[in-house]
Amino acid sequence: MGIVVAQAAGPGGFPEFVNALASGIALGAIYATLALGFVLIFKATQVVNFAHGAIAALGAYLVSYFATALNVPGRWVPGLPPTAQWFLSVVVAVAVTALIGIAIERVTIRPMIGEPLFSVAMITLGLDLVIRTVTNDFMNNQVRGLGDPFGSQVIEIGFFRIAQTQVVTIVVALLLMVYLAWFFRTRMGVAMRATAFDQEAAMAQGIDVGKVFAVAWAIGAGLAAIGGIFSSVFPRGAGVSPFTFAIAFRAFPAVVIGGLDSIVGAIVGGMLVGVAEVLAGTYLTQKFLGQGFAGIVPWLFMMLVLLIKPYGLFGTEEVRRV
Amino acid sequence: MRGRPNLFTSYEEEMRLFPTTTKRVMLVVALVLAVLLPLGQLPGLRFLGDSDWLIIIDRALIFGIAALGLNLLTGVSGQVSLGHSFFMAVGAYTAVVLGADAGRTVWGLGLPMWIWLPAAGIVAAVLGILVAPTAVRVRGLYLAFVTLGLVFIGLHLWRSVEAVAGKPGTGRPWPALELALWKGDPIISFASAGPWFGIELSAQAKSYFFFLFLLIVFALLAKNLMRTRPGRAWAAIRDRDIAAEVMGVNMFRWKTQAFAVSSFYAGVAGALFAAFLGRVIPESWDLLLAVEFIAIILIGGAGTITGTLLGTVFVVLTPRIVEAVTFWMAEELANQGTFAWLADLFIRKSPDDLLGFVSTDAAGPGLSIFQLNVVLFGVLIIVFLIAEPLGLYGIWIRVRNYWKGWPFTY
């Protein structure tokens, strides 16, 4: 699998550690973005979205399709610089992914309201197969570049090296967190919090729970798409490929470590997993651990955390009654 | 009590493995048909005796064993496991290390099958027991993620430990399905053609009988487990774990046993699967394989033996049927036959063909047959969960009840 270990530049020692840490935080930002979308969907609709990785890959593919193959919407806006055109394509791709998210919720999740969590989770597992296979087929099972304007430029300050995309990733992730914090204070956000607390009570208060579900899936799928885009640019990959979903899959341990229903947990879990993975990629390269050991560090980390805290670091402990 | 099949005069009678005459008759009929099948004597379905069909059916029998195991864990005791392919891999690699001959870079002890086959199950069961404490501690959806993690950790292991699994992308040969006393000539071989009791049989037909025998043993064992103490404890845990605990069901003990039994089934099935194929690459024990088993028990009907077997036949045979239909459509289109218009909607003829989405050529654009099957699995899981949560078994129950009440509707 195409696991790109972050550039382990420098002579080792402290500079190497700092660079790895920065790279880890950037990867953590990707995981946090993906995890945020996942947790948002879980909190609002009580659905464990196993198709999150597939939706992320689909979003990244749409960027590649809109930006490089169609040049939508850039072809209708003459005179715009290519960079602006690319960002417009990203906006369109994320919006389309959000619409797909709404469609998924309406067609496959809505009929399952009231069914056991496990059944709904299995539905998303089926969705994962469908979306992932169809996306891979669109990609023709090849790596497709996103045509992003960042390329592989690296910012160097003394020994400190960080890729331009990584800075963008961190900034975007921070902006998204601020946006979510703001969103939860809007009318819709409050309605979503109420729905997460108790669907029936929220309904009785006049909240349109169906609309809340749709919005949650739209934002969740949009966040997945953004995470998918950053998973398929330098230094994580040369473009979106049939293996992009695997990067997105590693956001699952991040979610579980943070606790399935905790927004803060998603951010902390994402960061922890990202840093742990890159540090493992830098330092745990002994031969007996095998090639690409860093790729399973998130899963091992998850098992360890679950053994100590069965509901993750910030997850709500289920109060059990007979 | 003739004519009143549902009148039971004692508890033992009601709890028998096959309580009614109908069930006993159907069992005998099924057994007779199952014996006729590989001989190519099944009326109307003689082609099933061909070796290319028998390979698929053999595969269904092996998958049946693994699915029965997952059914006990997920269907009966309610513990979601996405890691069934991991336990299958453990069984398969135990088998290859014990059974295959040592190579230049790979380990092998060259022991006979009566050692490596049970050992495959036992080692997998031990690993299941090791995972179980996590399962006792974490519940529900968190457990799904733990078992999902097992698949990825397993994949990394198989790719890394070349002494066991062989090189990534090529794998290593598995020992043949032959029963020998020790390292000498085999007494019974299921891997080569030859006569049995004067009837000439292909290798596939011989392994068919071997797998059928094992499947029957495992199915009866599972059925027996379900109706006795373990099954009741598991069902109690599934239905309401805390209530079960209050009633004195030892959660740790029964969850561990559920994992052990389920992994034993998976380990044996994994060993058989790899030995039957002869060579397996480390990458095959992936999430897709695990999801295939989830699909089997969901489509068949979770928590029932009959449903699991129905689901296995359905899931394993569907790809073959899809393949046949796709090639038939491509042919129909080429010959401009009666159904060419229908085939036109499905088959992709050129890269800018908007309607067609299936391609008979794996490399080109359009869903290949393999991809089409994966999509179909996904769609079937979704459709069954939404429309018929009890699966094929539920459909059968409804058909049965209709005839039971006939001519009344209730």
Side-chain angles (χ1 to χ4, degrees), chain B residues 61-112:
Chain B
L61 294 174
I62 300 169
F63 273 39
I65 297 174
L68 283 173
L70 186 66
N71 180 45
L72 285 178
L73 184 65
T74 304
V76 179
S77 42
Q79 306 301 304
V80 187
S81 172
L82 296 176
H84 218 52
S85 60
F86 170 78
F87 292 111
M88 282 180 81
V90 170
Y93 288 123
T94 309
V96 78
V97 168
L98 291 179
D101 294 318
R104 206 161 41 81
T105 55
V106 290
W107 296 333
L109 295 174
L111 297 172

Side-chain angles (χ1 to χ4, degrees), chain A residues 16-35:
Chain A
E16 187 185 20
F17 177 75
V18 172
N19 283 335
L21 199 65
S23 184
I25 290 172
L27 180 60
I30 297 177
Y31 288 156
T33 311
L34 289 163

Side-chain angles (χ1 to χ4, degrees), chain B residues 167-190:
Chain B
K167 289 225 180 312
T170 54
R172 63 182 287 195
W174 254 257
L177 289 162
E178 289 170 339
L179 210 54
L181 273 183
W182 197 243
K183 299 187 181 180
D185 284 334
I187 306 168
I188 312 170
S189 168
F190 305 106

